[in-house]
């Protein structure tokens, strides 16, 4: 009977897909491209989600629940169709539908573009959180921007990064819904006009301002149901591209094209290069667009649900994800004092109660300090409000600290002509959290120590996590199947259950099956790499130079954005050491090693681009050497993204987490790789510390490098001496000489690039500021231990399985539970059965009319 019902549903979906191909796309099904079939299939799947999506929102309205609004400039949800199919338990059905349509599952689903809404860990983390929040029925709405061209699509030409537009919106994106009814206007520039509110306090209107119209697009984020009723939350993305009102026709006719299109272009690209003035203006306008649009929407929704602002402080929680949305503090103050007539002090109390701030970086250059004169010009009312908040703050500090002007200067929001956005976020929120235990200690003891001493109760830790549903269950079906066979499927919704795997690690059939699954995943990764290269017209013979077809090779993976503190350069220097060893003695290594690098460099970050080019140069050297290439290969994954991560991570043996200790806030690729059975070679940095503690030192054999305290001591006391390291370690000396002796390069430009890399480590006061050479000897030793252990496949497999079994607390499910309890004080709000039945009935009745 069940099989009959499935067949009926399959046949219905087949007909629906054919209907949409003709009705929406205007082509007979036989002539439809894979992309067109994908879009039709996505419409059908979206219908499956719509009832729950509407019912989730209506449940929140009915219960008048406290709701969280999560503001993030980045989101990286990856491809949505497969993820949603998995979460609503329809993935097998989709396979049957596509089989019934004589289309290949992989070809159709790979036609889906990845939304270009983020750059790296920040956006991927936000997407993991929304998945977990939906899965566990928390009332949350996510806000971001709908970037027309993403951050960029990375192309590599002879190792040179070229930034092309990411055309993810080239065709209609079927998972989004345009919501014109919720469009808002955002103001920039203009003149302040003073008036007084009913408390006789000065507030400001803005005259002669530029008005930009923002239109929202909604994407459903579906929680995992496991065959039960599921919630579907909303990711709301604002765009200025779609509103003709933003196009300045007069400027265009006057020949000022840049001025004509600037407001339509605000959401074109994530992180405009702020090294030039136009880019800076775009960056500020972009961040404020997210803030102002979202706040207007939050207030509108609150009024519609509650009909009063009296309970705003109780019913609304706003999470500021990094400093980018920090102007929410000033803008909400303006709304409360000007539009809703609150006293300044009362408004500030409400803002602090409503808002909380997650810090994601210890890098001062990433904390956003904006020039006051420029902010005054672009956002005059908001600047005035920041000044007023800072005035009140400084007066309170003088009173508290007896006029200690040095402390007041350090704590001031405005200093030396700059607005410190992190300080604004701290002053305007009730909780500030770091994203790993070590990171939280650093922001409390070093970065924001004055604030942490003044209000220690505001600073807490919530360690990051990843969703096991995408990063294990979906992307690694072989390993997921093994886990389900051994311990059941409860871990899909509660990763802490994965600890039960420890009862099976020592069974030979288990670790042997794990090794077989890892080998199959390696083969899948190699095949995907070949296919993507051949689609670009690259000759197969050239592709084979980069690859081993022996799945027994150790897959050594470092996948993250390129930055000096993440120390891809140390990985590259180790490659040179390996090359020299094998060249001098082909018997120096007992294993084959494939080194895989993936990540983008920021467009204006020259040194990061130089490091990418170094890997290209090393790859060319290695692959053209018949002796060395028997044992070593280097693959640089072009345009690394979520889809590529889903193929690379299950294949990994060794996870490179090698940032300078105290520099990485948390990391999440460390969790994804460990969860898929890779052993970590890493420093005690970010979440590595907690992962090591969870796994145990005996199963964390490749720890290396200075600790956070040692790094601080070395930098404070000036103890680092690169010349001495080169004197003590001949291999490192030879590797560094290789950078500048001309043996690697083919032209003067390459020689100049390698000279700059050498100089960054050896020349000037700021040389080797990330201690690449300082940690390199320890790093080389850790790799030697990895080579030795990899020869004992049984021991390696058992360690990998132990790592998997110890990852239970590193789920984003646990992270959001901690946010809910420690910061937001919210409870799950599952879909109301009566509401769901009512909407389901309404949809079924309309569906019958539609079919008729």
């Amino acid at each position: 009977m069940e099989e009959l019902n499935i067949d009926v549903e399959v046949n219905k979906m087949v007909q629906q897909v054919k209907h949409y191909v003709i009705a929406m796309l205007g082509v007979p099904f036989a002539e439809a491209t894979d992309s067109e079939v994908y879009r039709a299939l996505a419409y059908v799947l979206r219908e499956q989600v719509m009832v729950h999506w509407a019912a989730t929102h209506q449940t929140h309205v009915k219960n008048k629940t406290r709701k969280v609004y999560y503001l993030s400039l980045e989101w990286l949800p990856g491809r949505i169709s497969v993820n949603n199919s998995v979460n609503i338990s329809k993935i097998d059905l989709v396979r049957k539908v596509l089989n019934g349509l004589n289309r290949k599952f992989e070809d159709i689903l790979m036609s889906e573009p990845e939304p270009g809404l983020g750059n790296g860990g920040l956006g991927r983390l936000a997407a993991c959180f929304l998945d977990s929040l939906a899965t566990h029925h928390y009332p949350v709405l996510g806000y971001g921007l709908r970037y027309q061209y993403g951050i960029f699509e990375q192309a590599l030409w002879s190792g040179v990064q070229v930034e092309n537009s990411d055309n993810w919106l080239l065709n209609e994106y079927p998972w989004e819904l345009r919501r014109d009814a919720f469009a808002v206007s955002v103001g920039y520039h203009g003149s302040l006009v003073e008036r007084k509110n009913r408390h006789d306090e000065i507030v400001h209107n803005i005259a002669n301002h530029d008005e930009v119209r923002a239109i929202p697009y909604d994407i459903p984020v579906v929680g995992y149901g496991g065959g039960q009723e599921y919630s579907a939350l909303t990711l709301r993305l604002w765009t200025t591209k779609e509103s003709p009102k933003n196009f300045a026709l007069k400027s265009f006719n006057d020949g000022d094209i840049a001025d004509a299109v600037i407001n339509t272009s605000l959401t074109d690209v994530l992180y405009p290069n702020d090294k030039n003035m136009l880019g800076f203006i775009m960056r500020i306008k972009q961040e404020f667009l997210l803030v102002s649009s979202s706040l207007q929407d939050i207030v509108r929704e609150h009024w519609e649900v509650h009909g009063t602002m009296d309970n705003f402080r109780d019913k609304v929680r706003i999470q500021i994800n990094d400093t980018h949305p920090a102007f929410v503090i000033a803008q909400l103050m303006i709304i409360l004092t000007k539009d809703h007539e609150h006293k300044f002090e009362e408004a500030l109390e409400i803002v602090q109660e409503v808002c909380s701030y997650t810090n994601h970086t210890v890098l001062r250059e990433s904390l956003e300090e904006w020039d006051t004169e420029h902010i005054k010009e672009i956002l005059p009312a908001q600047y005035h409000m920041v000044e007023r908040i800072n005035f009140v703050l400084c007066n309170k500090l003088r009173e508290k600290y007896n006029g200690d002007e040095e402390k007041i200067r350090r704590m001031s929001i405005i200093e030396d002509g700059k607005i410190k956005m992190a300080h604004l976020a701290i002053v305007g929120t009730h909780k500030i959290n770091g994203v790993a235990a070590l990171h939280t200690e650093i922001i409390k003891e070093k970065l924001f120590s004055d604030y942490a001493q003044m209000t220690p109760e505001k600073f807490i830790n919530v360690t990051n996590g990843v969703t096991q549903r995408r990063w294990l269950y979906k992307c690694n079906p072989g390993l997921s199947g093994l886990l389900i066979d051994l311990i059941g499927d409860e871990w899909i919704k509660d990763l802490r259950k994965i600890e039960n795997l420890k009862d099976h690690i020592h069974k030979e059939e288990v670790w042997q099956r794990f090794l077989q699954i890892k080998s199959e995943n390696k083969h899948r990764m190699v095949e995907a790499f070949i296919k993507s290269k051949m689609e670009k017209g690259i000759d197969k013979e050239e592709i084979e130079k980069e690859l081993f077809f022996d799945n027994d090779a150790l897959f050594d993976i470092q996948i993250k954005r390129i930055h000096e503190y993440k120390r891809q350069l140390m990985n590259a220097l180790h490659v040179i050491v390996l090359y020299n060893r094998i060249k001098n003695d082909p018997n120096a290594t007992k294993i084959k090693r494939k080194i895989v690098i993936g990540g983008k460099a920021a467009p204006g970050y020259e040194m990061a681009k130089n490091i990418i080019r170094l890997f290209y140069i090393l790859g060319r050297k290695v692959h053209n050497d018949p002796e060395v290439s028997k044992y070593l290969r280097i693959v640089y994954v072009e345009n690394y993204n979520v889809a590529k991560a889903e193929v690379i991570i299950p294949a990994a043996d060794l996870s490179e987490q090698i940032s300078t200790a105290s520099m990485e806030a948390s990391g999440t690729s460390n969790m994804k790789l460990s969860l898929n059975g890779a052993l970590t070679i890493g420093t005690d940095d970010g979440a590595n510390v907690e992962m090591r503690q969870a796994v145990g030192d005996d199963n964390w054999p490749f720890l290396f490098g200075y600790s956070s305290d040692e790094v601080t001591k070395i930098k404070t006391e000036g103890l680092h001496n690169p010349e001495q390291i080169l004197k003590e370690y001949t291999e490192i000396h030879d590797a560094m000489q290789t950078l500048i002796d001309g043996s690697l390069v083919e032209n003067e430009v390459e020689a100049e690039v390698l000279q700059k890399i050498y100089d960054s480590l050896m020349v000037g006061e700021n040389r080797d500021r990330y201690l690449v050479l300082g940690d390199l000897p320890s790093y080389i030793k850790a790799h030697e231990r990895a080579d030795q252990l990899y020869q004992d496949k049984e021991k390696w497999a058992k360690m990998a399985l132990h790592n998997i079994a110890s990852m239970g607390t590193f789920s984003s499910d646990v992270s959001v539970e901690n946010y809910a309890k420690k910061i937001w004080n919210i409870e799950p709000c599952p879909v109301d059965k009566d509401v769901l039945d009512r909407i389901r009935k309404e949809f079924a009745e309309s569906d019958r009319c539609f079919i008729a």
Side-chain angles (χ1 to χ4, degrees):
M1 188 66 180
E2 186 177 342
E3 287 185 13
L4 181 61
N5 290 336
I6 291 173
D7 288 341
V8 169
E9 191 167 2
V10 168
N11 289 333
K12 179 183 176 183
M13 286 181 68
V14 165
Q15 295 309 314
Q16 285 178 308
V17 171
K18 289 181 176 180
H19 169 84
Y20 277 122
V21 166
I22 296 171
M24 301 290 288
L25 304 173
V27 293
F29 184 81
E31 297 176 17
T33 64
D34 286 347
S35 177
E36 289 168 333
V37 174
Y38 150 70
R39 285 157 66 192
L41 175 65
Y43 289 133
V44 174
L45 291 172
R46 196 176 76 176
E47 275 194 13
Q48 303 269 335
V49 168
M50 278 294 190
V51 170
H52 282 75
W53 196 10
T56 301
H57 174 68
Q58 290 300 318
T59 297
H60 298 165
V61 171
K62 177 182 177 181
N63 292 341
K64 297 185 183 297
T65 182
R66 173 178 288 180
K67 191 165 184 176
V68 175
Y69 300 91
Y70 195 96
L71 273 64
S72 180
L73 205 61
E74 287 192 42
W75 297 87
L76 271 180
R79 289 177 175 142
I80 288 176
S81 296
V82 173
N83 201 63
N84 282 353
S85 299
V86 168
N87 283 0
I88 65 174
S89 303
K90 298 286 186 182
I91 191 67
D92 292 333
L93 194 67
V94 169
R95 290 181 185 277
K96 290 179 179 180
V97 167
L98 290 174
N99 186 56
L101 292 166
N102 292 318
R103 298 291 179 128
K104 291 183 178 178
F105 176 86
E106 291 76 13
D107 291 344
I108 300 301
L109 274 299
M110 292 308 104
S111 299
E112 178 176 358
E114 281 196 37
L117 305 174
N119 179 33
L122 185 71
R124 187 55 234 160
L125 179 75
C128 281
F129 280 3
L130 212 50
D131 174 278
S132 290
L133 290 162
T135 295
H136 295 283
H137 308 290
Y138 287 107
V140 179
L141 194 155
Y143 287 109
L145 297 180
R146 182 180 180 263
Y147 305 106
Q148 191 77 15
Y149 306 112
I151 184 165
F152 61 84
E153 184 176 282
Q154 181 193 55
L156 298 176
W157 297 355
S158 299
V160 178
Q161 175 177 286
V162 177
E163 295 103 24
N164 299 316
S165 58
D166 177 1
N167 297 311
W168 72 282
L169 287 172
L170 191 63
N171 296 312
E172 181 186 18
Y173 185 63
W175 282 104
E176 65 180 7
L177 284 178
R178 178 169 167 152
R179 303 285 199 181
D180 286 83
F182 301 149
V184 297
S185 293
V186 178
Y188 300 99
H189 303 286
S191 306
L192 294 178
V193 179
E194 282 191 8
R195 70 170 178 84
K196 291 188 176 181
N197 64 14
R198 63 186 174 88
H199 302 290
D200 205 33
E201 293 180 334
I202 293 174
V203 293
H204 291 93
N205 293 329
I206 304 292
N208 304 315
H209 62 281
D210 294 340
E211 191 174 284
V212 177
R213 185 173 172 79
I215 297 173
Y217 281 75
D218 288 357
I219 295 175
V221 177
V222 177
Y224 178 78
Q228 306 299 314
E229 304 297 6
Y230 58 87
S231 293
L233 301 179
T234 297
L235 173 57
R236 180 159 292 166
L237 306 171
W238 301 99
T239 179
T240 61
K241 197 72 176 176
E242 298 297 322
S243 177
K245 185 176 181 180
N246 296 331
F247 180 70
L249 183 61
K250 184 179 184 304
S251 296
F252 183 84
N253 289 335
D254 290 343
D256 192 347
I257 308 301
D259 189 59
V261 302
I262 187 169
N263 287 337
T264 67
S265 304
L266 290 183
T267 53
D268 274 5
V269 177
L270 170 63
Y271 300 139
N273 189 346
D274 57 14
K275 287 182 166 48
N276 62 74
M277 182 50 64
L278 183 60
F280 172 81
I281 292 170
M282 294 278 283
R283 177 79 175 261
I284 298 301
K285 284 190 167 186
Q286 194 176 80
E287 292 188 0
F288 185 68
L289 182 84
L290 171 62
V291 164
S292 178
S293 302
S294 303
L295 277 176
Q296 290 180 66
D297 199 56
I298 291 166
V299 172
R300 174 198 58 77
E301 182 172 270
H302 181 81
W303 265 106
E304 288 179 0
V305 174
H306 300 284
T308 178
M309 287 292 285
D310 292 346
N311 62 351
F312 187 82
R313 70 194 305 163
D314 179 54
K315 294 297 185 179
V316 171
R317 290 294 177 265
I318 297 173
Q319 187 67 35
I320 301 170
N321 194 33
D322 220 354
T323 54
H324 311 124
F327 271 120
V328 78
I329 305 299
Q331 185 62 15
L332 185 52
M333 284 293 295
I334 291 170
I335 291 170
L336 292 174
T337 56
K338 181 171 77 74
D339 299 339
H340 296 282
E341 303 281 345
H342 284 280
K343 284 185 177 180
F344 178 89
E345 288 188 4
E346 181 189 22
L348 187 55
E349 288 175 3
I350 294 171
V351 169
Q352 290 169 334
E353 193 170 341
V354 164
C355 296
S356 48
Y357 161 54
T358 302
N359 172 272
H360 285 279
T361 182
V362 299
L363 299 178
R364 292 196 177 272
E365 61 265 31
S366 299
L367 288 173
E368 296 196 311
E369 296 184 0
W370 300 129
D371 183 87
T372 53
E373 290 304 311
H374 293 140
I375 298 300
K376 192 186 298 185
E377 165 65 23
I378 301 167
L379 302 171
Q382 291 70 31
Y383 173 75
H384 184 273
M385 181 56 73
V386 172
E387 267 196 327
R388 189 170 176 189
I389 294 170
N390 192 54
F391 178 78
V392 171
L393 168 70
C394 291
N395 282 342
K396 288 183 177 179
L397 293 176
R398 286 189 180 93
E399 194 175 313
K400 184 176 181 65
Y401 295 112
N402 299 315
D404 184 345
E405 292 300 323
E406 176 57 26
K407 181 183 280 284
I408 293 164
R409 182 193 63 78
R410 291 197 308 266
M411 297 179 73
S412 177
I413 299 169
I414 301 174
E415 182 198 357
D416 294 334
K418 300 283 187 182
I419 298 178
K420 298 178 179 180
M421 299 305 290
H423 285 196
L424 178 61
I426 291 169
V427 171
T429 56
H430 71 282
K431 291 293 182 185
I432 301 97
N433 74 282
V435 291
L438 175 62
H439 171 235
T440 301
E441 288 308 304
I442 289 170
I443 67 175
K444 286 163 63 175
E445 295 175 6
K446 297 176 183 177
L447 200 61
F448 306 129
S449 58
D450 289 323
Y451 280 106
Q453 289 165 16
M454 182 174 73
T455 53
E457 72 282 356
K458 289 177 69 169
F459 289 81
I460 65 169
N461 177 61
V462 180
T463 298
N464 284 344
V466 300
T467 168
Q468 66 272 20
R469 288 166 290 281
R470 182 181 284 270
W471 295 111
L472 178 54
Y473 183 54
K474 173 184 174 290
C475 78
N476 199 339
L479 182 55
S480 297
L482 173 61
L483 293 172
I484 290 168
D485 287 347
L486 294 173
I487 62 173
D489 64 359
E490 289 184 26
W491 59 269
I492 300 172
K493 286 190 77 170
D494 182 1
L495 190 60
R496 286 166 286 209
K497 301 289 186 182
I498 208 167
E499 187 177 21
N500 295 327
L501 176 63
K502 290 179 181 178
D503 296 336
H504 305 276
I505 288 172
H506 294 285
K507 298 174 183 176
E508 182 176 359
E509 66 272 19
V510 172
W511 62 260
Q512 287 281 16
R513 187 173 163 192
F514 168 78
L515 290 173
Q516 179 60 35
I517 291 165
K518 183 65 72 174
S519 178
E520 291 166 0
N521 288 336
K522 290 178 180 181
H523 179 76
R524 179 167 66 114
M525 176 188 145
V526 169
E527 289 297 313
F529 184 83
I530 292 171
K531 182 180 178 183
S532 68
K533 289 277 189 178
M534 291 184 73
E535 285 173 351
K536 295 179 180 177
I538 300 174
D539 184 73
K540 190 169 184 179
E541 190 174 320
E542 284 298 310
I543 299 170
E544 289 175 359
K545 284 184 179 181
E546 295 184 53
L547 299 169
F548 288 122
F549 290 87
D550 182 354
N551 293 337
D552 198 40
L554 183 146
F555 279 38
D556 181 353
I557 311 292
Q558 189 175 18
I559 40 175
K560 49 190 78 231
R561 66 186 172 88
I562 310 302
H563 197 289
E564 288 167 276
Y565 87 81
K566 294 179 183 287
R567 299 200 294 191
Q568 286 92 350
L569 179 53
M570 187 161 65
N571 195 338
L573 291 173
H574 178 243
V575 170
I576 299 175
V577 169
L578 288 178
Y579 177 90
N580 289 339
R581 283 183 179 180
I582 298 168
K583 196 69 178 166
N584 294 331
D585 178 11
N587 296 318
T589 181
K590 303 296 183 184
I591 66 168
K592 296 178 179 180
R593 182 187 291 259
K594 188 200 300 288
I595 296 171
V596 179
I597 310 293
K600 297 177 180 179
Y605 194 172
E606 182 187 10
M607 185 53 67
K609 290 183 172 182
N610 290 342
I611 291 168
I612 293 174
R613 194 157 191 182
L614 173 59
F615 275 107
Y616 166 79
I617 292 168
L618 292 175
R620 181 181 64 206
K621 186 74 172 178
V622 167
H623 302 153
N624 289 326
D625 188 307
E627 285 299 319
V628 176
S629 61
K630 290 177 184 176
Y631 301 98
L632 182 64
R633 301 290 174 94
I634 301 167
V635 176
Y636 201 103
V637 179
E638 188 177 62
N639 200 43
Y640 174 70
N641 57 18
V642 175
K644 290 175 182 176
E646 290 175 352
V647 176
I648 295 168
I649 287 171
D653 294 307
L654 196 61
S655 166
E656 297 269 357
Q657 307 299 330
I658 60 177
S659 55
T660 313
S662 78
M663 302 301 289
E664 184 73 83
S666 167
T668 51
S669 68
N670 47 4
M671 302 169 189
K672 295 165 192 168
L673 285 156
S674 191
L675 188 58
N676 281 271
L679 297 184
T680 300
I681 182 167
T683 52
D684 239 4
D685 194 25
N688 290 357
V689 178
E690 291 154 87
M691 290 172 64
R692 175 180 58 78
Q693 292 166 349
V695 169
D697 289 343
D698 290 345
N699 288 286
W700 195 266
F702 312 133
L703 175 68
F704 76 92
Y706 296 124
S707 68
S708 174
D709 289 341
E710 287 170 333
V711 168
T712 300
K713 181 180 174 65
I714 288 166
K715 290 189 174 185
T716 303
E717 300 180 15
L719 301 177
H720 183 45
N721 187 339
E723 288 86 358
Q724 186 61 36
I725 292 168
L726 267 58
K727 282 181 184 177
E728 289 183 23
Y729 299 95
T730 303
E731 284 190 317
I732 295 175
H733 172 274
D734 293 347
M736 290 294 291
Q737 286 302 117
T738 303
L739 289 177
I740 56 173
D741 65 10
S743 62
L744 292 175
V745 302
E746 291 186 351
N747 54 59
E748 290 183 7
V749 176
E750 289 185 349
E752 184 180 334
V753 166
L754 298 198
Q755 184 68 53
K756 286 180 178 177
I757 292 174
Y758 179 90
D759 289 348
S760 74
L761 298 175
M762 299 299 298
V763 178
E765 291 183 9
N766 235 0
R767 60 186 179 168
D768 196 19
R769 61 179 176 152
Y770 297 108
L771 302 180
V772 170
L773 295 174
D775 273 346
L776 187 54
S778 177
Y779 180 60
I780 292 169
K781 289 291 184 186
H783 269 290
E784 290 170 358
R785 296 197 298 274
D787 287 1
Q788 186 68 32
L789 183 62
Y790 193 68
Q791 295 173 59
D792 186 340
K793 292 298 170 60
E794 178 182 348
K795 191 172 182 180
W796 183 284
K798 287 178 177 177
M799 262 190 201
L801 287 164
H802 184 86
N803 272 253
I804 294 168
S806 302
M807 287 298 106
T809 58
F810 299 99
S811 167
S812 51
D813 296 353
V814 176
S815 300
V816 301
E817 182 182 329
N818 285 326
Y819 275 95
K821 290 178 178 177
K822 295 180 180 181
I823 298 177
W824 304 327
N825 193 21
I826 61 170
E827 297 292 334
C829 183
V831 176
D832 184 281
K833 186 179 183 304
D834 292 338
V835 172
L836 182 61
D837 288 345
R838 172 173 55 79
I839 296 175
R840 187 176 275 154
K841 179 183 178 185
E842 184 177 336
F843 176 78
E845 289 172 351
S846 65
D847 200 35
R848 281 197 294 272
C849 295
F850 168 74
I851 292 169

